[in-house]
Amino acid sequence: MSKVGFIVRIVFVCLAAISIPAMLMIDAVQARKYTDLKNQVIDLEEKQSELIEENKKLITDISLLSSADRIERLASEELGMRKAETDEIIRVEMKDTVK
């Protein structure tokens, strides 16, 4: 074997020996990134669930607050309003004037 062939072979073996730890380090970095992203996804899914539950509660609150019985009670008790009698109702007709 020639001296150049021997040197090429040693360089190749050294590069192979160096590349194995380098690949392992790259794999570790990628695994860490994956774990971080997975944790972020879990956190976001938990936040989403909390927001969905809060949204359901708010929708329920809106339904309760906008119920006809509640509005009628507030109008009569707090604002002193009452239902209009038939003879107190005035109908206004609007004609379409835009042409």
Side-chain angles (χ1 to χ4, degrees), residues 49-63:
S49 294
E50 291 171 8
L51 290 173
I52 288 171
E53 288 305 313
E54 182 180 348
N55 193 33
K56 287 179 184 178
K57 182 182 178 290
L58 291 172
I59 289 171
T60 302
D61 290 346
I62 289 171
S63 296

Side-chain angles (χ1 to χ4, degrees), residues 5-15:
F6 180 72
I7 293 174
V8 170
R9 190 175 214 169
I10 289 178
V11 169
F12 178 75
V13 170
C14 288
L15 287 176

Side-chain angles (χ1 to χ4, degrees), residues 9-70:
R9 190 175 214 169
I10 289 178
V11 169
F12 178 75
V13 170
C14 288
L15 287 176
I18 291 172
S19 68
I20 292 172
M23 292 293 189
L24 290 174
M25 286 177 30
I26 291 171
D27 183 56
V29 168
Q30 291 298 324
R32 178 66 184 178
K33 284 182 182 180
Y34 173 80
T35 302
D36 290 344
L37 288 174
K38 186 177 177 181
N39 289 336
Q40 284 181 0
V41 168
I42 290 169
D43 291 343
L44 289 172
E45 286 174 344
E46 289 173 0
K47 180 71 173 176
Q48 181 182 30
S49 294
E50 291 171 8
L51 290 173
I52 288 171
E53 288 305 313
E54 182 180 348
N55 193 33
K56 287 179 184 178
K57 182 182 178 290
L58 291 172
I59 289 171
T60 302
D61 290 346
I62 289 171
S63 296
L64 292 173
L65 292 173
S66 63
S67 71
D69 292 338
R70 179 182 175 277

